[in-house]
Amino acid sequence: MNHRITFFSVFSLALVAVATSACASGPAATPTPSPAPKANQVQIAASQDVTLYEDAAGEIANSVGPTNFVGMTTQFKRRRTLLAFDVTSLPSNREIIDVRLEMRMSKTASGAFNTTLHRVTTPWSEGISTSSGMGGKGAPAQIGDPTWIHSSYPDTFWSNEGGDFTEEESATTSVDNQVRYSWSDPRLVEDVSKWITGASPNFGWLIIGDERFQKTAKRFDSREHASADRRPTLVIEFAPTVTGAGSG
């Protein structure tokens, strides 16, 4: 018994000695460099979002439901989403280097289609209508709701049915399965920069899906969704602030 204990102790000491010698004679470990400082980033929740339902009479809306829609339904009716973010609190003297819109698509009956953002050119308001069920059919329009023909129901109209927006898209991404998607493009940087500086009025974006074919509609979670991590988010990255080097 005593012999086994003595042998184990000597063997353990030998291992320690070998390890110590290897560390002393081997090259010094190279420290992992710290990552370069990232640009300052802010994340903003949507301030307004609604669905526009194609309806010649402008009597269908959905302002505060938990979901929004884009694309074409099985009845060949178009769906579009209006989305806006309040950027008035952001500094106007900082350079923006990247803008990214993030949204979660929660239901689809079609494959991958491009979904585009277009800058809205007419002011609109978010009303109080809430679509029941899955949200795809909308609800009766209420005062202040945007509809297919109204920027604010019932007395203020779009110049064009389906909303007033720039023909050129600000960003495009392909939307397929039920995951979170992002839109990023230098034109988004331009849009947000102009909104912050006041060079252009901020009426948000109109999101348009594939409207060429039947049954291309896709559902996105809205800012009213019960889970905060599924709501639309605007991610803005500013260039790092440069400070003068200290004397020494």
Side-chain angles (χ1 to χ4, degrees):
M1 185 67 160
N2 291 335
H3 290 294
R4 286 198 295 270
I5 295 174
T6 301
F7 174 77
F8 178 77
S9 301
V10 171
F11 181 70
S12 299
L13 290 172
L15 287 177
V16 172
V18 171
T20 303
S21 175
C23 291
S25 60
T30 303
T32 302
S34 300
K38 292 184 178 180
N40 296 329
Q41 184 184 94
V42 295
Q43 297 186 8
I44 303 175
S47 57
Q48 297 187 116
D49 61 348
V50 306
T51 299
L52 299 182
Y53 296 77
E54 184 174 10
D55 174 51
E59 296 293 337
I60 304 174
N62 182 21
S63 285
V64 294
T67 56
N68 288 310
F69 296 82
V70 301
M72 185 82 76
T73 69
T74 56
Q75 292 78 33
F76 292 96
K77 295 293 185 179
R78 288 171 288 180
R79 302 287 185 261
R80 296 173 177 175
T81 292
L82 287 166
L83 180 68
F85 295 85
D86 184 356
V87 297
T88 56
S89 64
L90 300 180
S92 60
N93 60 345
R94 295 282 304 279
E95 178 190 3
I96 298 176
I97 60 175
D98 186 53
V99 172
R100 185 171 70 254
L101 171 65
E102 297 183 352
M103 296 179 65
R104 186 182 186 280
M105 197 271 287
S106 57
K107 187 176 178 61
T108 181
S110 60
F113 291 108
N114 282 342
T115 302
T116 59
L117 305 182
H118 298 259
R119 185 169 51 82
V120 180
T121 57
T122 296
W124 53 279
S125 61
E126 183 183 78
I128 61 172
S129 64
T130 304
S131 180
S132 60
M134 302 298 289
K137 295 183 178 180
Q142 305 293 317
I143 294 176
D145 282 328
T147 74
W148 194 252
I149 65 173
H150 302 95
S151 58
S152 181
Y153 182 87
D155 299 322
T156 308
F157 295 84
W158 302 110
S159 297
N160 303 280
E161 293 186 1
D164 300 333
F165 55 93
T166 57
E167 181 177 352
E168 181 185 28
E169 67 269 15
S170 294
T172 302
T173 199
S174 179
V175 176
D176 189 3
N177 297 318
Q178 300 177 34
V179 295
R180 194 167 181 86
Y181 290 90
S182 64
W183 289 255
S184 184
D185 190 281
R187 287 168 291 189
L188 288 186
V189 173
E190 182 180 357
D191 288 348
V192 175
S193 297
K194 288 182 177 180
W195 293 342
I196 292 176
T197 61
S200 176
N202 177 10
F203 304 136
W205 292 292
L206 184 71
I207 307 175
I208 300 179
D210 194 301
E211 299 179 345
R212 300 170 300 167
F213 308 109
Q214 178 192 33
K215 204 176 180 179
T216 62
K218 295 182 182 293
R219 186 184 74 186
F220 289 89
D221 296 327
S222 77
R223 75 183 191 96
E224 287 84 9
H225 196 279
S227 299
D229 61 348
R230 295 174 63 163
R231 299 169 187 166
T233 302
L234 189 66
V235 182
I236 302 173
E237 292 187 6
F238 293 94
T241 301
V242 179
T243 57
S247 58

